[in-house]
C-alpha cells in the first residue's frame, strides 16, 4: 500500500498527544495512548509486525518491524528509525492545534513540525518498502517512542528492547539509528546533553513586621541566582569549545518562594538547566555547579539540591561518521546538499548512541517552527524527507 505522507501527517496532527509533563496522561489531549492505537493500526495495515513496549502507566512505545530480504531480523542489517509520539503543550497557540490546516505549501498544527512530520515521512517510506519489497534491503524497525519532551523515558526504555523487553520484535542491537527531529534535511551528528534539577534555599518563617534578613529564603536565593549568572558568564569563555556544539551553558528557568507579602519566606526554589557539549558528563557538570555554589565565599548558608528530574547525554560525532556519509549521500541525491551540524538541544539519539548504536538526527521542517504558536512544516520538505529516508533504507544493506 502506498501512503501519501501529507495525508498521514494530517491524520497524526488530528490526534492529540500532548506531553502530560507531571500530570496524569489522561483527558482529551494529554498522553500518547490515542496516537499509539492509531500507529498500531496503521503499521498492521501496511503489513508490519507491531509490538507495544510499556514505559509508564498508560504510555507505550509502539514498535513496528519490516523484515529485510535476508528473511529474518536476525540475518542481514537492522536499521532503527525513531520518532517521538508526544508534542509540547498547546497553550498560547494562535491556530487550532488539532485541525490540520494546509495553506501555501505548509501544514499547520501542533506537532506538524516536531515531530509528526518526521514520523509521517518514516511511515510513508516504510509503507513503500512493505509494498514493493525491493532487494536487497535491511530489516527496518520503526520506533514511535513516548515522552521525549519531558525526560526521554521512551527512548531510554527502547534501549532495553533488544536484550530484555522485546527479544521477539528486535532480536539484536540495531546497526544504526536515524532519529527524526526537524533538522531542515541536514544531518545532526552531534548535540549537547541536558540535565535539570531543583535547588532550594531555606529560611525561617515569621511576621513581616519583624523581618530578619538573614532568614529570608528569597534573599538567600537571590544571591544564589546572581552567582549562577556569573558562573554561566564565565563558562562562555572557559576552556576549549566543542567544534560543532560550543561550550556548556547554564540557566535558571523558574523561581518560586514565599506564601504572602506579610510573611518572611522560609523556602525558595529554582529550576536549573545545564547543557554540556559532547565529551562532558551531565552529572559531572551538575556537581561542578553544586561545588561552586557551596564555597563559603558564594553562599554562607546550606542549599538543598534535589536529584535531577531530567537528564540526557550529549551525542558525539565520533561514532556516526559512516552513517552520516551514507545519509548525506541519500539526501544529496534528492535535495543536492546535506550539511553536518551540531545543535544545542538534546534528542533521543544520544540514548541509542550510548547503547552502542551509531545514530544521526534527521528530518523535515525547521527547529525554528517547532513548539511555536502557529507550528507548521513545509510540505515540499516532508515529501523530500520521505524520498531521502526511502533511498537511505535501500542503501543500508
Ligand atoms: Zn522533537
Amino acid at each position: 500500500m502506498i501512503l501519501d505522507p501529507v495525508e498521514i501527517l494530517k491524520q497524526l496532527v488530528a490526534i492529540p498527544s500532548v506531553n502530560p509533563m507531571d500530570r496524569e496522561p489522561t483527558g482529551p489531549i494529554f498522553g500518547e495512548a490515542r496516537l499509539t492505537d492509531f500507529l498500531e493500526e496503521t503499521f498492521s495495515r501496511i503489513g508490519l509486525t507491531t509490538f507495544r513496549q510499556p514505559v509508564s502507566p498508560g504510555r507505550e512505545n509502539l514498535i513496528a518491524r519490516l523484515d529485510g530480504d535476508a528473511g529474518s531480523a536476525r540475518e542481514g542489517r537492522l536499521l532503527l528509525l525513531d520518532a517521538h509520539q508526544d508534542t509540547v503543550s498547546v497553550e498560547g497557540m494562535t491556530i487550532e492545534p488539532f485541525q490540520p490546516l494546509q495553506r501555501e505549501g505548509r501544514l499547520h498544527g501542533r506537532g506538524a513540525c516536531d515531530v509528526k512530520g518526521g514520523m509521517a515521512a518514516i511511515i510513508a517510506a516504510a509503507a513503500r518498502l512493505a509494498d514493493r519489497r525491493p532487494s536487497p534491503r535491511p530489516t527496518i524497525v520503526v520506533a514511535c517512542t513516548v515522552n521525549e519532551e519531558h525526560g526521554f523515558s521512551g527512548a531510554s526504555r527502547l534501549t532495553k528492547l533488544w536484550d530484555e523487553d522485546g527479544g521477539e520484535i528486535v532480536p539484536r542491537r540495531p546497526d544504526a539509528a536515524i532519529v527524526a527531529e526537524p533538522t531542515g534535511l541536514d544531518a545532526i551528528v552531534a548535540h549537547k546533553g541536558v540535565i535539570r534539577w531543583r535547588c532550594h534555599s531555606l529560611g525561617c518563617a515569621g511576621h513581616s513586621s519583624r523581618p530578619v534578613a538573614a532568614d529570608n529564603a528569597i534573599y538567600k536565593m537571590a544571591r544564589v541566582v546572581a552567582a549562577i549568572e556569573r558562573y554561566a558568564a564565565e563558562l562562555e569563555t572557559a576552556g576549549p569549545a566543542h567544534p560543532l556544539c560550543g561550550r556548556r551553558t547554564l540557566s535558571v528557568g523558574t523561581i518560586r518562594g514565599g506564601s504572602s507579602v506579610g510573611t518572611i519566606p522560609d523556602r525558595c526554589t529554582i529550576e536549573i538547566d545545564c547543557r554540556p557539549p559532547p565529551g562532558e558528563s551531565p552529572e559531572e557538570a551538575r556537581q561542578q555547579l553544586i561545588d561552586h555554589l557551596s564555597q563559603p565565599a558564594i553562599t554562607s548558608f546550606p542549599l538543598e539540591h534535589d536529584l535531577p528530574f531530567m537528564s540526557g547525554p550529549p551525542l558525539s560525532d565520533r561514532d556516526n561518521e559512516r552513517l552520516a556519509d551514507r545519509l548525506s549521500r541519500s539526501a544529496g541525491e534528492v535535495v543536492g546538499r546535506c550539511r553536518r551540524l551540531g545543535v544545542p538541544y538534546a534528542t533521543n539519539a544520544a540514548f541509542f548512541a550510548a547503547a552502542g548504536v551509531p545514530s544521526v538526527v534527521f528530518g523535515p521542517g525547521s527547529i525554528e517552527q517547532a513548539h511555536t504558536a502557529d507550528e507548521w512544516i513545509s510540505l515540499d520538505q516532508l515529501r523530500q524527507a520521505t524520498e531521502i529516508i526511502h533511498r537511505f533504507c535501500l542503501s543500508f544493506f
Side-chain angles (χ1 to χ4, degrees), residues 310-327:
M310 180 192 274
S311 177
L315 175 70
S316 165
D317 54 332
R318 271 186 323 206
D319 307 315
N320 56 16
E321 202 172 337
R322 285 183 54 210
L323 175 62
D325 279 345
R326 205 188 284 257
L327 179 65

Side-chain angles (χ1 to χ4, degrees), residues 26 41 50 66-67 85 103 131 142 146 168 177 192 195 200-201 225 242 262 305 317 329 344 364 366 368 383 391-392:
T26 52
E41 192 267 326
T50 63
L66 176 66
D67 284 344
Q85 296 186 44
R103 195 170 57 190
D131 186 72
V142 181
V146 295
E168 292 287 299
K192 285 182 176 171
I195 189 161
H200 315 275
S201 65
V225 170
H242 185 275
H305 292 272
D317 54 332
R329 224 173 299 137
S366 163
E368 308 274 309
R383 294 189 189 95
R391 280 178 191 239
F392 172 76

Side-chain angles (χ1 to χ4, degrees), residues 178-181 183 186-189 191 315 327 347 349 359-363:
I178 301 293
V179 172
E181 288 294 350
T183 71
D186 287 320
I188 303 302
V189 294
H191 65 61
L315 175 70
L327 179 65
T347 77
S359 302
V360 167
V361 185
F362 172 84

Side-chain angles (χ1 to χ4, degrees), residues 84 86 113-115 148-149 180-182 367 370-371:
H84 60 85
D86 55 320
C113 177
D114 189 3
V115 71
E148 190 270 347
E149 301 285 2
E181 288 294 350
I367 196 74
H371 303 198

Side-chain angles (χ1 to χ4, degrees), residues 86-258:
D86 55 320
T87 71
V88 291
S89 119
V90 297
E91 229 167 274
M93 286 193 83
T94 53
I95 54 167
E96 282 296 327
F98 309 118
Q99 284 175 18
L101 174 67
Q102 189 172 345
R103 195 170 57 190
E104 293 167 2
R106 299 171 172 180
L107 191 90
H108 292 260
R110 177 53 89 221
C113 177
D114 189 3
V115 71
K116 290 178 175 178
M119 181 181 273
I122 289 173
I123 295 171
R128 201 158 133 198
L129 292 169
D131 186 72
R132 308 234 172 109
R133 308 244 164 193
S135 182
R137 64 170 199 284
T139 291
I140 309 288
V141 170
V142 181
C144 299
T145 41
V146 295
N147 197 33
E148 190 270 347
E149 301 285 2
H150 191 55
F152 309 102
S153 57
S156 174
R157 189 74 220 174
L158 190 81
T159 63
K160 306 281 182 267
L161 199 57
W162 40 92
D163 39 47
E164 289 171 32
D165 287 357
E168 292 287 299
I169 188 87
V170 185
R172 64 185 184 78
R173 191 169 68 189
D175 297 301
I178 301 293
V179 172
E181 288 294 350
T183 71
L185 306 182
D186 287 320
I188 303 302
V189 294
H191 65 61
K192 285 182 176 171
V194 61
I195 189 161
R196 292 177 178 166
W197 74 99
R198 294 187 184 93
C199 165
H200 315 275
S201 65
L202 306 177
C204 188
H207 197 280
S208 62
S209 62
R210 300 178 64 194
V212 181
D215 269 334
N216 185 319
I218 289 181
Y219 286 180
K220 289 178 179 173
M221 190 55 90
R223 272 177 270 160
V224 174
V225 170
I228 294 175
E229 187 186 3
R230 285 193 300 274
Y231 185 81
E234 284 164 23
L235 287 177
E236 285 172 19
T237 53
H242 185 275
L244 293 175
C245 298
R247 293 185 176 87
R248 187 191 313 173
T249 60
L250 263 176
S251 61
V252 174
T254 69
I255 183 161
R256 283 187 192 88

